[in-house]
């Protein structure tokens, strides 16, 4: 990611339009018109040999004739001219180009991408509408309309969707902080833009329209960072195979599996919407209320019972909740609504209510402590126009302290009678919708986003038996199979490997012929299961390759011959390695599950969970990206139940979900640790008596080839390789390691152990103890962009944190900002040197340009340590602080 290299796109001082035109049918005409009408204060320089002036602005015959280097050049010519024009711009020192041309072939795209990379030119597009920065008056696009400044940023791969959103937003008086059409994303992509917008103070929420992603790991890292600070809502096309192919034809690239995109969006804490209608609703809601809701229950005020019922139905069907009104609130409402014997939520003030009754009821609800979210529904009334009621709502809200009033949204039903009312509410900063269902749908976007964020900050449980995983032994076993040119491991071969990760497999015996199978079965003890072993047949049950409940030798031998006969007819070329014989596991009252690993070309390894069966594809499973912890595994199980691919059965004993979570984390760790595994099937997985037993397993292995241009996993796992034991000055040993999500409670105890002086030195002032949300952000870190090292040692049965160092890298990897805190009780043990040394080593390995930090003048110990470790020290007399800096890797300006 690189925010620095694209920052000039969003703060240009001069703009050139290459291919500017006076022909109204050309993009160069519209771009020039939009720039001139937008109010941009800098030079606008048209480049064209055809005209002396464009829109009355002096034109330049070619790029070499430009009087100054433009910060941005918009190329409006056809695709055949792109390469020489970009070369000419690069010669003039222009590094930022927008290309609107569409219809490039795959070969032309590759050539354009490489050309820009060679010349160090930053490219937005091609096949894009352009860029709008309303607060700067920049409309560097060929849009048919303009937008005003606002709080929401919009990024889209589709120029047509951009035009649609702009048209709708103008009608709704909704503005944007940035409006970016990225087209084919040959260079500047969603990840870099999210890094920029996540840090932008003007942007309170981000909307994305995505056809496909190229840098999955960079995207999810940037998306998670942005979604922690502001809502990020996504519409992702290609839900169906046909849609994915259409998206591929539209913007190129790989479309990827939609179910995995779902998992990615949830994992990053974003919210996915299904269509443009939902995107419009989300845009309106976020434009006027871009903050996270405090609670979920909703209160409804209405002058019509039918619309309120529709709203309640929609709310409950979407897993929303109604607010319970207090006795004091109900009593106050009953005095205002004389027709009602007993008021409840929804609060119906009836269709004959005059404006005064409406206003009194509204004020009661706005002042009620239990009402945090309020939907106001109004149907056309003969007593007063809808617009009058809208003004009452806006005026009444204005009387309530903005910090104390609830989140309010409105639904004015009807068309002509409601249009003016909706406009008044929108101008008053109140989200407003045409239908009760639309209002509730928009509300549920905020609720689902809140749930995603809450899920992201839940503290996972620790697995106490994690130390019995034998990574090296498993790696040696896989290497031995590969050395023997074995790439498919059936149950008897997979069992030892699974055992290294604490995954139990039913005892399996092997036979090569039907007669041998009968003999082995007799030794095993009846009843038995007979299974075909063939690396060429993915699903044995579909071809009758699994026979259950065989009770004697004759049945076993006959079943084996029958299997061979069927395979010879259906798959005559298939390799037959023999038969597996297993004791018949007691299945009565057991739940049969299936866990699979598939390697997606875009996302890498993906975990699937569903019911046992003959075929498990993405549509029949819940999907998650590794690595998993206990909390993420719990979320995967919940998704499987919500999706209906994991059914609640009427069984004597329920599936032990805690143990299933532990099993899923072990499968995840197996995939993280062993890159040579590209596929895995545990099917069926028998869940009974609180235990899990694999009845059939298959593992696909091959030598993993590391690729420079992509990472194997979509999400960087816990970097266990950075763990090491250190010796403290008192001679004791302690563990230096990266922080983990499971460390939250220990980190809370560490935070509470800090003295006032410790906290003052760390935070340059008095700071309250951290909340759960703050601690979650400190422990659930993205190892791709930040690192926190802790030193821990045992005190009794408990791991105690002695000190912490943190380093946060900027997206350009130029600077790592470090901070260290050691509790008073642990000072004098050499922890500062250990923790700062770990941060320095890590930044050097990551290629960070320099590491920097600040401390107070009086923190002489930290200052002296920094000097010893090669930092330069600079004093800020005005602020009373010391700035420490050490260069690690020399970086050029263009890096």
């Amino acid at each position: 990611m690189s925010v620095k290299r694209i920052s000039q796109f969003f703060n240009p001082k001069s703009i050139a339009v290459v291919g500017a035109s006076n022909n109204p049918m050309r993009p160069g005409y519209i771009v020039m018109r939009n720039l001139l009408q937008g109010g941009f204060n800098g030079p606008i320089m048209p480049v064209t040999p055809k005209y002396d002036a464009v829109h009355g602005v002096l034109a330049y015959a070619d790029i070499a004739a430009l009087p100054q280097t433009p910060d941005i050049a918009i190329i409006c010519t056809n695709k055949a001219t792109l390469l020489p024009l970009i070369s000419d711009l690069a010669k003039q020192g222009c590094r930022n180009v927008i290309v609107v041309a569409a219809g490039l072939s795959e070969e032309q795209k590759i050539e354009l991408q490489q050309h820009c990379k060679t010349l160090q030119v930053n490219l937005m597009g091609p096949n894009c509408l352009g860029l709008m920065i309303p607060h700067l008056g920049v409309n560097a696009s060929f849009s048919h309309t303009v937008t005003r400044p606002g709080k929401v940023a919009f990024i889209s791969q589709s120029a047509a969707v951009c035009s649609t959103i702009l048209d709708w937003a103008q009608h709704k008086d909704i503005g944007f902080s940035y409006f970016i059409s990225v087209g084919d994303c040959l260079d500047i992509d969603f990840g870099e833009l999210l890094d920029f917008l996540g840090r932008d103070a003007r942007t309170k929420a981000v909307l994305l329209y995505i056809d496909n992603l190229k840098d999955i790991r960079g995207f999810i890292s940037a998306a998670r960072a942005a979604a922690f600070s502001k809502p990020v809502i996504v519409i992702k096309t290609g839900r169906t195979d046909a849609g994915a192919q259409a998206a591929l034809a539209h913007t190129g690239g790989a479309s990827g599996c939609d179910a995995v995109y779902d998992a990615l969006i949830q994992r990053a804490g974003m919210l996915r919407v299904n269509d443009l209608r939902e995107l419009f609703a989300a845009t309106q809601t976020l434009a006027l209320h871009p903050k996270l809701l405090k609670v979920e229950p909703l209160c409804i005020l209405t002058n019509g019972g039918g619309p309120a019922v529709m709203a309640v139905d929609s709310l409950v069907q979407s897993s929303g909740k109604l607010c319970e009104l207090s006795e004091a609130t109900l009593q106050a409402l009953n005095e205002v609504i004389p027709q009602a014997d007993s008021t409840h939520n929804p609060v119906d003030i009836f269709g004959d209510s005059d404006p005064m009754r409406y206003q009194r009821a509204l004020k009661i609800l706005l002042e009620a402590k239990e009402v945090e979210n309020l939907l106001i529904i109004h149907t056309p009334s003969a007593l007063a126009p809808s617009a009058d009621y809208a003004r009452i709502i806006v005026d009444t809200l204005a009387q309530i302290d903005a910090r104390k009033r609830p989140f309010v949204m409105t639904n004015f039903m009807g068309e002509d009678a409601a249009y003016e009312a909706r406009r008044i509410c929108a101008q008053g900063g109140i989200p407003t919708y045409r239908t009760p269902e639309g209002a509730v749908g928009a509300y549920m976007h905020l609720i689902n986003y809140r749930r995603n964020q809450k899920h992201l900050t839940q503290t996972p449980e620790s697995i106490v038996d994690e130390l019995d995983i034998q990574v090296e032994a498993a790696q040696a076993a896989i290497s031995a199979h590969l050395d023997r040119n074995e790439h498919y491991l059936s149950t008897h071969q997979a069992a030892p490997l699974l055992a290294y990760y604490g995954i139990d497999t039913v005892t399996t015996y092997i036979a090569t012929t039907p007669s041998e199978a009968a003999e082995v079965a007799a030794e095993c003890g009846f009843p038995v299961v007979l299974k075909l072993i063939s690396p060429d047949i993915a699903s044995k049950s579909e071809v009758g390759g699994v026979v259950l409940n065989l009770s004697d030798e004759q049945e076993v031998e006959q079943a084996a011959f029958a299997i061979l006969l069927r395979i010879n007819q259906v798959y005559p070329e298939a390799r037959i390695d023999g038969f597996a014989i297993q004791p018949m596991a007691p299945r009565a009252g057991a739940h049969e599950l299936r866990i699979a690993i598939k390697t997606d070309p875009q996302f890498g390894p993906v975990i699937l969970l569903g019911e046992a069966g003959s075929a498990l594809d993405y549509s029949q499973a819940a999907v998650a990206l590794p690595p998993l912890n206990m909390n993420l595994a719990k979320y995967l199980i919940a998704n499987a139940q919500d999706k209906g691919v994991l059914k609640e059965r009427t069984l004597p004993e329920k599936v032990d979900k805690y143990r299933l979570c532990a099993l899923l984390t072990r499968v995840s760790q197996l995939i993280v640790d062993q890159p040579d595994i590209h596929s895995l099937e545990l099917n069926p997985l028998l869940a009974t008596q609180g235990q899990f037993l694999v009845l059939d397993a298959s593992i696909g292995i091959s030598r993993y080839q590391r690729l420079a241009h992509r990472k194997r996993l979509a999400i960087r796992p816990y970097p266990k390789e950075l763990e090491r034991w250190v010796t403290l000055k008192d001679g004791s040993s302690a563990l230096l390691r990266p922080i983990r999500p499971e460390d939250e409670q220990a980190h809370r105890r560490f935070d509470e152990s800090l003295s006032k002086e410790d906290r003052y030195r760390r935070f340059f002032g008095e700071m309250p103890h951290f909340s759960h949300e703050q601690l979650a952000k400190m422990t659930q870190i993205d190892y791709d962009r930040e690192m926190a090292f802790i030193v821990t040692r045992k005190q009794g049965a408990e791991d105690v944190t002695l000190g912490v160092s943190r380093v946060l890298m900027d997206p350009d990897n130029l600077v790592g900002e470090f901070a260290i805190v050691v509790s008073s009780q642990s000072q004098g043990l050499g922890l500062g040197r250990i923790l700062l040394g770990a941060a320095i080593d890590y930044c050097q390995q990551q290629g960070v340009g320099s590491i920097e930090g600040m401390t107070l003048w009086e923190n002489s110990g930290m200052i002296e340590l920094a000097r010893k470790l090669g930092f330069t020290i600079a004093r800020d007399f005005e602020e009373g602080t010391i700035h420490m800096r050490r260069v690690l890797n020399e970086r050029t300006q263009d890096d």
Side-chain angles (χ1 to χ4, degrees):
M1 296 295 118
S2 177
V3 168
K4 182 181 179 182
R5 81 175 184 108
I6 66 170
S7 59
Q8 206 172 47
F9 264 109
F10 303 106
N11 191 27
K13 300 296 189 295
S14 59
I15 300 174
V17 181
V18 182
S21 177
N22 284 323
N23 181 348
M25 302 306 295
R26 304 296 300 169
Y29 174 92
I30 298 170
V31 171
M32 278 296 297
R33 181 200 66 191
N34 287 347
L35 279 169
L36 292 169
Q37 290 179 351
F40 177 60
N41 289 327
I44 299 170
M45 300 172 284
V47 179
T48 174
K50 294 183 179 180
Y51 307 100
D52 293 331
V54 177
H55 286 277
V57 178
L58 178 67
Y60 302 91
D62 53 35
I63 291 166
L66 287 172
Q68 67 181 82
T69 301
D71 289 340
I72 299 177
I74 310 159
I75 301 179
C76 303
T77 60
N78 64 60
K79 59 186 179 182
T81 64
L82 295 177
L83 300 187
L85 289 174
I86 290 173
S87 295
D88 291 344
L89 286 165
K91 289 176 185 175
Q92 296 299 312
C94 178
R95 290 286 178 263
N96 305 294
V97 172
I98 299 173
V99 174
V100 302
L104 277 71
S105 67
E106 202 59 37
E107 293 77 12
Q108 289 171 321
K109 289 179 184 178
I110 293 171
E111 189 178 14
L112 175 61
Q113 185 181 46
Q114 189 57 50
H115 191 66
C116 290
K117 184 177 181 180
T118 301
L119 296 174
Q120 296 185 323
V121 169
N122 306 315
L123 171 66
M124 186 176 290
N127 189 21
C128 74
L129 190 73
L131 170 68
M132 296 186 194
I133 312 171
H135 66 273
L136 295 180
V138 174
N139 185 357
S141 76
F142 66 98
S143 164
H144 69 293
T145 187
V146 297
T147 186
R148 63 184 182 85
K151 302 174 183 176
V152 178
F154 184 74
I155 312 172
S156 173
Q157 281 184 291
S158 169
V161 169
C162 285
S163 297
T164 305
I165 289 283
L166 283 169
D167 200 51
W168 172 86
Q170 188 179 49
H171 179 72
K172 294 287 186 179
D173 286 332
I174 290 174
F176 294 91
S177 56
Y178 300 90
F179 199 93
I180 307 165
S181 172
V182 290
D184 292 342
C185 293
L186 293 190
D187 180 20
I188 295 173
D189 206 346
F190 287 97
E192 284 176 295
L193 295 171
L194 278 171
D195 266 323
F196 172 79
L197 296 171
R199 292 163 170 77
D200 180 63
R202 289 185 179 84
T203 301
K204 305 302 181 185
V206 183
L207 297 169
L208 309 176
Y209 179 95
I210 300 172
D211 282 334
N212 56 72
L213 295 171
K214 295 177 175 63
D215 180 6
I216 296 293
R217 185 144 157 183
F219 172 81
I220 196 171
S221 179
R224 176 176 171 140
F228 253 129
S229 60
K230 58 193 68 174
V232 181
I233 293 187
V234 182
I235 181 169
K236 168 66 181 70
T237 59
R239 283 189 173 272
T240 64
D241 289 342
Q245 289 302 314
L248 180 64
H250 179 219
T251 51
S255 58
C257 173
D258 188 70
V260 189
Y261 269 109
D262 255 343
L264 180 151
I265 290 166
Q266 289 179 349
R267 184 70 171 266
M270 301 181 289
L271 177 66
R272 184 174 187 175
V273 296
N274 296 314
D275 51 41
L276 283 177
R277 178 185 60 80
E278 290 189 3
L279 190 65
F280 290 156
T283 305
Q284 184 173 358
T285 308
L286 292 175
L288 299 173
H289 187 82
K291 296 180 181 179
L292 191 66
L293 295 180
K294 296 178 182 178
V295 298
E296 293 190 11
L298 176 67
C299 182
I300 300 173
L301 174 65
T302 180
N303 70 337
V309 172
M310 288 188 282
V312 171
D313 283 344
S314 181
L315 182 72
V316 173
Q317 288 169 358
S318 302
S319 72
K321 293 180 281 189
L322 281 171
C323 164
E324 288 192 19
L325 299 178
S326 68
E327 286 299 324
T329 301
L330 292 173
Q331 184 176 348
L333 288 168
N334 283 333
E335 293 175 3
V336 172
I337 311 170
Q339 298 100 316
D341 295 330
S342 178
T343 304
H344 56 274
N345 184 19
V347 179
D348 187 355
I349 60 173
F350 302 104
D352 63 350
S353 293
D354 57 47
M356 184 62 68
R357 182 191 301 170
Y358 203 98
Q359 187 172 30
R360 289 174 63 193
L362 174 59
K363 195 165 184 180
I364 290 169
L365 293 176
L366 290 175
E367 294 176 346
K369 292 182 179 179
E370 69 272 23
V371 177
E372 294 277 2
N373 308 298
L374 178 62
L375 168 60
I376 304 169
I377 301 176
H378 185 272
T379 57
S381 169
L383 294 179
S386 298
D388 290 353
Y389 287 94
R391 292 187 186 96
I392 287 172
I393 294 169
V394 172
D395 292 344
T396 306
L397 270 176
Q399 299 171 23
I400 308 293
D401 187 336
R403 294 169 296 179
K404 298 179 180 180
R405 71 188 185 200
F407 167 56
V408 176
M409 54 200 313
T410 64
N411 159 222
F412 281 89
M413 301 189 68
E415 289 299 335
D416 293 341
Y419 177 80
E420 178 64 14
R422 290 196 288 264
R423 188 188 65 80
I424 292 169
C425 284
Q427 289 182 338
I430 304 170
T432 184
Y433 304 90
R434 294 178 64 254
T435 66
E437 297 88 347
V440 169
Y443 176 72
M444 288 309 299
H445 289 323
L446 296 178
I447 293 298
N448 288 329
Y449 173 72
R450 179 180 185 273
R451 290 173 182 174
N452 280 1
Q453 288 293 301
K454 189 176 180 181
H455 158 70
L456 273 184
T457 56
Q458 285 179 341
T459 307
E461 301 172 74
S462 296
I463 305 176
V464 296
D465 57 350
E466 63 182 353
L467 296 179
D468 64 357
I469 289 176
Q470 301 176 55
V471 179
E472 292 78 11
Q475 180 61 61
I478 293 172
S479 295
H481 284 295
L482 291 172
D483 289 342
R484 294 191 295 269
N485 203 31
E486 297 170 352
H487 297 278
Y488 170 85
L489 308 183
S490 58
T491 306
H492 68 289
Q493 297 165 306
L497 177 57
L498 295 172
Y500 290 135
Y501 282 80
I503 301 170
D504 297 327
T505 308
V506 67
T507 304
T508 303
Y509 304 91
I510 306 303
T512 56
T513 66
S515 59
E516 185 183 352
E519 294 174 6
V520 170
E523 296 175 7
C524 172
F526 297 102
V528 298
V529 180
L530 181 71
K531 299 178 181 179
L532 171 73
I533 301 176
S534 172
D536 297 332
I537 300 175
S539 179
K540 296 183 288 291
S541 58
E542 287 188 348
V543 294
V546 178
V547 185
L548 307 177
N549 280 314
L550 298 173
S551 57
D552 58 41
E553 294 177 60
Q554 186 177 1
E555 284 188 5
V556 172
E557 188 168 5
Q558 288 175 348
F561 273 119
I563 288 174
L564 292 176
L565 182 61
R566 283 193 298 272
I567 298 304
N568 187 55
Q569 292 174 340
V570 182
Y571 294 108
E573 303 298 324
R575 288 170 292 167
I576 307 298
D577 291 344
F579 301 93
I581 299 95
Q582 300 171 339
M584 187 68 194
R587 297 192 176 191
H591 199 143
E592 296 186 21
L593 310 176
R594 185 171 186 173
I595 297 174
I597 299 291
K598 295 188 176 184
T599 298
D600 184 274
Q602 263 200 300
F603 298 94
V606 178
I607 301 173
L608 291 82
L609 172 66
E611 297 276 346
S614 58
L616 185 66
D617 61 24
Y618 289 112
S619 65
Q620 299 169 306
V623 178
L625 295 169
L628 296 182
N629 55 33
M630 290 290 283
N631 182 48
L632 294 168
K634 188 188 304 181
Y635 197 51
L636 174 60
I637 296 169
N639 279 349
Q641 292 175 325
D642 292 343
K643 195 175 177 180
V645 296
L646 197 63
K647 298 178 175 61
E648 289 283 357
R649 301 186 183 278
T650 307
L651 297 171
E653 188 177 349
K654 298 289 186 183
V655 173
D656 187 328
K657 292 182 180 175
Y658 176 85
R659 289 183 178 273
L660 180 55
C661 286
L663 176 62
L664 286 165
T665 60
R666 288 173 172 274
V667 172
S668 168
Q669 194 60 47
L670 171 64
I671 296 306
V672 168
D673 292 341
Q674 310 298 338
D676 292 337
I677 296 178
H678 61 77
S679 67
L680 177 147
E681 285 270 358
L682 308 180
N683 175 47
L685 173 68
L686 203 65
T688 179
Q689 298 178 350
Q691 302 296 319
F692 292 89
L693 183 66
V694 178
L695 302 187
D696 201 2
S698 62
I699 300 178
I701 58 175
S702 59
R703 298 283 185 198
Y704 174 64
Q705 301 295 321
R706 190 179 301 275
L707 301 175
H709 65 280
R710 71 180 295 267
K711 307 291 186 182
R712 173 175 168 260
L713 296 164
I715 301 168
R716 185 176 180 181
Y718 172 76
K720 190 174 178 64
E721 68 276 7
L722 298 180
E723 292 183 354
R724 61 185 173 92
W725 288 94
V726 295
T727 302
L728 306 183
K729 285 186 176 180
D730 64 356
S732 65
S733 294
L735 181 62
L736 171 72
R737 64 171 175 84
I739 203 165
R740 295 183 300 199
E742 293 85 352
D743 290 321
E744 182 182 329
Q745 293 307 317
H747 209 63
R748 179 186 297 280
R749 292 191 292 269
F750 173 72
D751 177 55
E752 292 170 350
S753 74
L754 296 177
S755 66
K756 284 187 177 181
E757 185 180 359
D758 295 335
R759 300 180 71 79
Y760 184 79
R761 287 183 174 183
R762 168 64 180 86
F763 303 110
F764 299 2
E766 291 195 13
M767 279 278 292
H769 291 293
F770 294 119
S771 66
H772 158 66
E773 289 75 16
Q774 290 170 319
L775 286 166
K777 289 183 179 180
M778 292 178 176
T779 54
Q780 299 186 33
I781 65 174
D782 180 353
Y783 298 115
D784 263 335
R785 60 177 57 214
E786 60 183 308
M787 183 55 68
F789 289 101
I790 59 174
V791 175
T792 69
R793 67 179 173 187
K794 288 282 186 183
Q795 287 187 5
E798 194 175 89
D799 282 328
V800 176
T801 300
L802 308 180
V804 183
S805 65
R806 293 184 179 275
V807 59
L808 177 64
M809 287 80 73
D810 71 316
D812 299 292
N813 219 32
L814 293 174
V815 178
E817 295 185 8
F818 79 89
I820 296 175
V821 60
V822 176
S823 65
S824 299
Q825 305 93 308
S826 303
Q827 289 175 9
L829 297 175
L831 288 167
R833 177 181 288 271
I834 291 170
L835 289 164
L836 182 53
I840 293 169
D841 292 344
Y842 178 77
C843 287
Q844 282 181 320
Q845 292 167 10
Q846 298 299 309
V848 178
S850 64
I851 182 169
E852 303 178 6
M854 291 180 65
T855 192
L856 296 171
W857 289 1
E858 56 264 37
N859 195 353
S860 57
M862 182 71 246
I863 297 168
E864 184 59 28
L865 173 63
R867 279 201 177 98
K868 289 180 179 178
L869 293 179
F871 285 79
T872 57
I873 306 299
R875 178 171 293 194
D876 187 325
F877 289 93
E878 187 175 337
E879 296 293 332
T881 58
I882 297 291
H883 183 258
M884 302 165 286
R885 181 174 187 268
R886 175 176 164 179
V887 175
L888 302 177
N889 298 284
E890 293 293 344
R891 308 288 296 274
T892 66
Q893 188 67 27
D894 293 327
D895 279 350

